[in-house]
Amino acid sequence: MVGHELGSNRLSRHFLTEAYNNGWANHRLLRACAQLSQEDFVAPRTGFFPSIRATLNHILTVDWFYIDALEREARGAPPHPDYCSEFFAVEEPFDTCAALWAAQRASDDRLIAYCKGLRDDDLGRVVVIDRGEGEFQRDSRQRLLAHIFGHQIHHRGQVHAMLSSTPVAPPQLDEFFSEGEAPLRVQDFRELGWSEQDIWSPSLS
């Protein structure tokens, strides 16, 4: 973990922890959704998006969009010239939960890898996104990461509520940060290939 053992990098270390939390929550939520029948997965429901499938696809495509922008800035590449065609041309790119789960896991791994390279001194670096027709979005890495995590939490909550009207119980999504709840994460971390030590540095826990 580059730079994350130093007290001066506590904020970037927190972003890394949030990226792990994001991946864990998606894993737990999608494991529950994978138990749904295809009929329940696509059934019309009340929410900002009209189904569990639609909401989960939205989470993923927005992740693709923002993670691409962060990675481009990190390697000194120009903004994506046509993000709409790249990430949003197909509103729901995955029909099944199994395919979507695999793609979300890959996206979450990219975000974790990105956050591993952060240092506090670089969080103010500006990420530029070409919105088309001469419009450019400019946000610091810190703002953009906070937005990504907030967006994920917002829409995961909607899927969580939708699950309440299905035969599958919504999973707990708040058993990540407390040290005393580590036993409740054992199965998830085993499935993800993580350990508590990966996430909670002894000097920063």
PDB file of all heavy atoms in Angstrom, residues 3 17 27 40 43 49-50 66 120 128 148 151-152 161-162 168 193-194 199 204-205:
ATOM      1  N   GLY A   3       2.381   4.521   0.548  1.00  0.00           N
ATOM      2  CA  GLY A   3       2.161   5.727   1.333  1.00  0.00           C
ATOM      3  C   GLY A   3       1.158   5.634   2.447  1.00  0.00           C
ATOM      4  O   GLY A   3       0.947   6.605   3.159  1.00  0.00           O
ATOM      5  N   THR A  17      -9.971   2.549   2.564  1.00  0.00           N
ATOM      6  CA  THR A  17     -10.893   1.776   3.384  1.00  0.00           C
ATOM      7  C   THR A  17     -12.314   1.859   2.838  1.00  0.00           C
ATOM      8  O   THR A  17     -13.053   0.867   2.821  1.00  0.00           O
ATOM      9  CB  THR A  17     -10.878   2.275   4.838  1.00  0.00           C
ATOM     10  OG1 THR A  17      -9.551   2.508   5.249  1.00  0.00           O
ATOM     11  CG2 THR A  17     -11.493   1.256   5.769  1.00  0.00           C
ATOM     12  N   HIS A  27     -20.497  -6.885  -2.887  1.00  0.00           N
ATOM     13  CA  HIS A  27     -20.418  -8.339  -2.861  1.00  0.00           C
ATOM     14  C   HIS A  27     -21.573  -8.930  -2.054  1.00  0.00           C
ATOM     15  O   HIS A  27     -22.245  -9.865  -2.497  1.00  0.00           O
ATOM     16  CB  HIS A  27     -19.083  -8.760  -2.252  1.00  0.00           C
ATOM     17  CG  HIS A  27     -18.916 -10.239  -2.112  1.00  0.00           C
ATOM     18  ND1 HIS A  27     -18.645 -11.069  -3.179  1.00  0.00           N
ATOM     19  CD2 HIS A  27     -18.975 -11.049  -1.016  1.00  0.00           C
ATOM     20  CE1 HIS A  27     -18.545 -12.319  -2.755  1.00  0.00           C
ATOM     21  NE2 HIS A  27     -18.746 -12.336  -1.447  1.00  0.00           N
ATOM     22  N   ASP A  40     -37.882 -12.248 -10.717  1.00  0.00           N
ATOM     23  CA  ASP A  40     -37.813 -11.264  -9.632  1.00  0.00           C
ATOM     24  C   ASP A  40     -36.728 -10.224  -9.881  1.00  0.00           C
ATOM     25  O   ASP A  40     -36.856  -9.060  -9.483  1.00  0.00           O
ATOM     26  CB  ASP A  40     -37.556 -11.960  -8.301  1.00  0.00           C
ATOM     27  CG  ASP A  40     -38.813 -12.564  -7.693  1.00  0.00           C
ATOM     28  OD1 ASP A  40     -39.904 -12.003  -7.909  1.00  0.00           O
ATOM     29  OD2 ASP A  40     -38.708 -13.607  -7.016  1.00  0.00           O
ATOM     30  N   ALA A  43     -38.301  -7.773 -12.404  1.00  0.00           N
ATOM     31  CA  ALA A  43     -39.676  -7.329 -12.155  1.00  0.00           C
ATOM     32  C   ALA A  43     -39.750  -5.830 -11.858  1.00  0.00           C
ATOM     33  O   ALA A  43     -38.876  -5.276 -11.196  1.00  0.00           O
ATOM     34  CB  ALA A  43     -40.267  -8.108 -10.984  1.00  0.00           C
ATOM     35  N   PHE A  49     -34.908   3.834 -10.263  1.00  0.00           N
ATOM     36  CA  PHE A  49     -34.921   3.011 -11.465  1.00  0.00           C
ATOM     37  C   PHE A  49     -35.956   1.911 -11.263  1.00  0.00           C
ATOM     38  O   PHE A  49     -36.225   1.508 -10.133  1.00  0.00           O
ATOM     39  CB  PHE A  49     -33.531   2.446 -11.757  1.00  0.00           C
ATOM     40  CG  PHE A  49     -32.543   3.501 -12.167  1.00  0.00           C
ATOM     41  CD1 PHE A  49     -31.772   4.148 -11.219  1.00  0.00           C
ATOM     42  CD2 PHE A  49     -32.411   3.870 -13.490  1.00  0.00           C
ATOM     43  CE1 PHE A  49     -30.875   5.141 -11.586  1.00  0.00           C
ATOM     44  CE2 PHE A  49     -31.519   4.855 -13.881  1.00  0.00           C
ATOM     45  CZ  PHE A  49     -30.752   5.498 -12.930  1.00  0.00           C
ATOM     46  N   PRO A  50     -36.540   1.387 -12.345  1.00  0.00           N
ATOM     47  CA  PRO A  50     -37.754   0.584 -12.214  1.00  0.00           C
ATOM     48  C   PRO A  50     -37.576  -0.885 -11.864  1.00  0.00           C
ATOM     49  O   PRO A  50     -38.562  -1.616 -11.822  1.00  0.00           O
ATOM     50  CB  PRO A  50     -38.398   0.723 -13.599  1.00  0.00           C
ATOM     51  CG  PRO A  50     -37.246   0.900 -14.530  1.00  0.00           C
ATOM     52  CD  PRO A  50     -36.251   1.714 -13.755  1.00  0.00           C
ATOM     53  N   TYR A  66     -16.729   7.097 -13.908  1.00  0.00           N
ATOM     54  CA  TYR A  66     -15.875   7.873 -13.010  1.00  0.00           C
ATOM     55  C   TYR A  66     -14.510   7.219 -12.792  1.00  0.00           C
ATOM     56  O   TYR A  66     -13.489   7.919 -12.693  1.00  0.00           O
ATOM     57  CB  TYR A  66     -16.576   8.102 -11.677  1.00  0.00           C
ATOM     58  CG  TYR A  66     -17.593   9.213 -11.724  1.00  0.00           C
ATOM     59  CD1 TYR A  66     -18.938   8.961 -11.475  1.00  0.00           C
ATOM     60  CD2 TYR A  66     -17.218  10.511 -12.034  1.00  0.00           C
ATOM     61  CE1 TYR A  66     -19.877   9.987 -11.528  1.00  0.00           C
ATOM     62  CE2 TYR A  66     -18.148  11.535 -12.090  1.00  0.00           C
ATOM     63  CZ  TYR A  66     -19.472  11.269 -11.833  1.00  0.00           C
ATOM     64  OH  TYR A  66     -20.400  12.284 -11.892  1.00  0.00           O
ATOM     65  N   ASP A 120      -2.116  11.838   0.431  1.00  0.00           N
ATOM     66  CA  ASP A 120      -2.875  13.030   0.802  1.00  0.00           C
ATOM     67  C   ASP A 120      -2.461  14.251  -0.011  1.00  0.00           C
ATOM     68  O   ASP A 120      -3.307  15.081  -0.382  1.00  0.00           O
ATOM     69  CB  ASP A 120      -2.709  13.327   2.292  1.00  0.00           C
ATOM     70  CG  ASP A 120      -3.540  12.401   3.163  1.00  0.00           C
ATOM     71  OD1 ASP A 120      -4.072  11.410   2.634  1.00  0.00           O
ATOM     72  OD2 ASP A 120      -3.641  12.661   4.380  1.00  0.00           O
ATOM     73  N   VAL A 128     -10.367  16.082 -14.971  1.00  0.00           N
ATOM     74  CA  VAL A 128     -11.175  16.774 -15.983  1.00  0.00           C
ATOM     75  C   VAL A 128     -11.971  15.740 -16.779  1.00  0.00           C
ATOM     76  O   VAL A 128     -11.429  14.738 -17.238  1.00  0.00           O
ATOM     77  CB  VAL A 128     -10.285  17.602 -16.931  1.00  0.00           C
ATOM     78  CG1 VAL A 128     -11.146  18.317 -17.977  1.00  0.00           C
ATOM     79  CG2 VAL A 128      -9.455  18.605 -16.139  1.00  0.00           C
ATOM     80  N   ILE A 148     -18.388   9.309  -5.771  1.00  0.00           N
ATOM     81  CA  ILE A 148     -18.564   7.916  -6.184  1.00  0.00           C
ATOM     82  C   ILE A 148     -19.105   7.082  -5.033  1.00  0.00           C
ATOM     83  O   ILE A 148     -20.060   6.313  -5.191  1.00  0.00           O
ATOM     84  CB  ILE A 148     -17.231   7.328  -6.684  1.00  0.00           C
ATOM     85  CG1 ILE A 148     -16.823   7.981  -8.012  1.00  0.00           C
ATOM     86  CG2 ILE A 148     -17.332   5.812  -6.861  1.00  0.00           C
ATOM     87  CD1 ILE A 148     -15.417   7.631  -8.449  1.00  0.00           C
ATOM     88  N   HIS A 151     -22.718   8.004  -4.275  1.00  0.00           N
ATOM     89  CA  HIS A 151     -23.608   7.503  -5.320  1.00  0.00           C
ATOM     90  C   HIS A 151     -23.890   6.025  -5.128  1.00  0.00           C
ATOM     91  O   HIS A 151     -25.038   5.563  -5.240  1.00  0.00           O
ATOM     92  CB  HIS A 151     -22.976   7.750  -6.689  1.00  0.00           C
ATOM     93  CG  HIS A 151     -23.793   7.267  -7.835  1.00  0.00           C
ATOM     94  ND1 HIS A 151     -23.624   6.011  -8.391  1.00  0.00           N
ATOM     95  CD2 HIS A 151     -24.801   7.853  -8.533  1.00  0.00           C
ATOM     96  CE1 HIS A 151     -24.482   5.857  -9.378  1.00  0.00           C
ATOM     97  NE2 HIS A 151     -25.210   6.955  -9.492  1.00  0.00           N
ATOM     98  N   GLN A 152     -22.846   5.272  -4.828  1.00  0.00           N
ATOM     99  CA  GLN A 152     -23.018   3.838  -4.606  1.00  0.00           C
ATOM    100  C   GLN A 152     -23.949   3.565  -3.425  1.00  0.00           C
ATOM    101  O   GLN A 152     -24.869   2.749  -3.513  1.00  0.00           O
ATOM    102  CB  GLN A 152     -21.654   3.202  -4.325  1.00  0.00           C
ATOM    103  CG  GLN A 152     -20.808   2.973  -5.543  1.00  0.00           C
ATOM    104  CD  GLN A 152     -20.835   1.517  -5.970  1.00  0.00           C
ATOM    105  OE1 GLN A 152     -21.546   0.690  -5.397  1.00  0.00           O
ATOM    106  NE2 GLN A 152     -20.066   1.189  -6.978  1.00  0.00           N
ATOM    107  N   ALA A 161     -33.976  -1.857  -0.388  1.00  0.00           N
ATOM    108  CA  ALA A 161     -35.415  -1.700  -0.140  1.00  0.00           C
ATOM    109  C   ALA A 161     -36.227  -2.569  -1.094  1.00  0.00           C
ATOM    110  O   ALA A 161     -37.234  -3.170  -0.697  1.00  0.00           O
ATOM    111  CB  ALA A 161     -35.805  -0.237  -0.285  1.00  0.00           C
ATOM    112  N   MET A 162     -35.815  -2.643  -2.352  1.00  0.00           N
ATOM    113  CA  MET A 162     -36.537  -3.471  -3.321  1.00  0.00           C
ATOM    114  C   MET A 162     -36.522  -4.940  -2.921  1.00  0.00           C
ATOM    115  O   MET A 162     -37.506  -5.656  -3.139  1.00  0.00           O
ATOM    116  CB  MET A 162     -35.922  -3.304  -4.713  1.00  0.00           C
ATOM    117  CG  MET A 162     -36.169  -1.960  -5.366  1.00  0.00           C
ATOM    118  SD  MET A 162     -35.352  -1.900  -6.994  1.00  0.00           S
ATOM    119  CE  MET A 162     -35.682  -0.207  -7.477  1.00  0.00           C
ATOM    120  N   VAL A 168     -36.173 -12.988  -1.041  1.00  0.00           N
ATOM    121  CA  VAL A 168     -34.806 -12.932  -0.506  1.00  0.00           C
ATOM    122  C   VAL A 168     -34.693 -11.764   0.466  1.00  0.00           C
ATOM    123  O   VAL A 168     -34.991 -10.619   0.115  1.00  0.00           O
ATOM    124  CB  VAL A 168     -33.776 -12.780  -1.638  1.00  0.00           C
ATOM    125  CG1 VAL A 168     -32.365 -12.662  -1.063  1.00  0.00           C
ATOM    126  CG2 VAL A 168     -33.865 -13.957  -2.601  1.00  0.00           C
ATOM    127  N   GLY A 193     -11.173 -12.933  -0.840  1.00  0.00           N
ATOM    128  CA  GLY A 193      -9.727 -13.096  -0.777  1.00  0.00           C
ATOM    129  C   GLY A 193      -9.035 -12.003   0.001  1.00  0.00           C
ATOM    130  O   GLY A 193      -7.856 -11.716  -0.230  1.00  0.00           O
ATOM    131  N   TRP A 194      -9.738 -11.394   0.948  1.00  0.00           N
ATOM    132  CA  TRP A 194      -9.190 -10.315   1.758  1.00  0.00           C
ATOM    133  C   TRP A 194      -8.925 -10.808   3.176  1.00  0.00           C
ATOM    134  O   TRP A 194      -9.421 -11.859   3.588  1.00  0.00           O
ATOM    135  CB  TRP A 194     -10.170  -9.148   1.863  1.00  0.00           C
ATOM    136  CG  TRP A 194     -10.562  -8.507   0.583  1.00  0.00           C
ATOM    137  CD1 TRP A 194      -9.985  -8.667  -0.643  1.00  0.00           C
ATOM    138  CD2 TRP A 194     -11.644  -7.585   0.401  1.00  0.00           C
ATOM    139  NE1 TRP A 194     -10.631  -7.909  -1.577  1.00  0.00           N
ATOM    140  CE2 TRP A 194     -11.655  -7.222  -0.974  1.00  0.00           C
ATOM    141  CE3 TRP A 194     -12.594  -7.020   1.246  1.00  0.00           C
ATOM    142  CZ2 TRP A 194     -12.585  -6.341  -1.500  1.00  0.00           C
ATOM    143  CZ3 TRP A 194     -13.520  -6.146   0.729  1.00  0.00           C
ATOM    144  CH2 TRP A 194     -13.518  -5.802  -0.643  1.00  0.00           C
ATOM    145  N   ILE A 199      -6.897  -4.392   5.222  1.00  0.00           N
ATOM    146  CA  ILE A 199      -7.701  -3.171   5.254  1.00  0.00           C
ATOM    147  C   ILE A 199      -7.369  -2.283   6.441  1.00  0.00           C
ATOM    148  O   ILE A 199      -7.314  -1.054   6.325  1.00  0.00           O
ATOM    149  CB  ILE A 199      -9.208  -3.549   5.261  1.00  0.00           C
ATOM    150  CG1 ILE A 199      -9.527  -4.341   3.993  1.00  0.00           C
ATOM    151  CG2 ILE A 199     -10.089  -2.310   5.365  1.00  0.00           C
ATOM    152  CD1 ILE A 199     -10.789  -5.122   4.061  1.00  0.00           C
ATOM    153  N   LEU A 204      -3.001   2.495  12.022  1.00  0.00           N
ATOM    154  CA  LEU A 204      -4.043   3.467  11.664  1.00  0.00           C
ATOM    155  C   LEU A 204      -5.445   2.994  12.009  1.00  0.00           C
ATOM    156  O   LEU A 204      -6.410   3.629  11.655  1.00  0.00           O
ATOM    157  CB  LEU A 204      -3.973   3.757  10.161  1.00  0.00           C
ATOM    158  CG  LEU A 204      -2.715   4.444   9.656  1.00  0.00           C
ATOM    159  CD1 LEU A 204      -2.733   4.530   8.142  1.00  0.00           C
ATOM    160  CD2 LEU A 204      -2.571   5.834  10.253  1.00  0.00           C
ATOM    161  N   SER A 205      -5.577   1.842  12.687  1.00  0.00           N
ATOM    162  CA  SER A 205      -6.893   1.296  12.966  1.00  0.00           C
ATOM    163  C   SER A 205      -7.621   2.088  14.031  1.00  0.00           C
ATOM    164  O   SER A 205      -7.024   2.891  14.730  1.00  0.00           O
ATOM    165  CB  SER A 205      -6.771  -0.158  13.402  1.00  0.00           C
ATOM    166  OG  SER A 205      -5.998  -0.265  14.570  1.00  0.00           O
TER     167      SER A 205
END
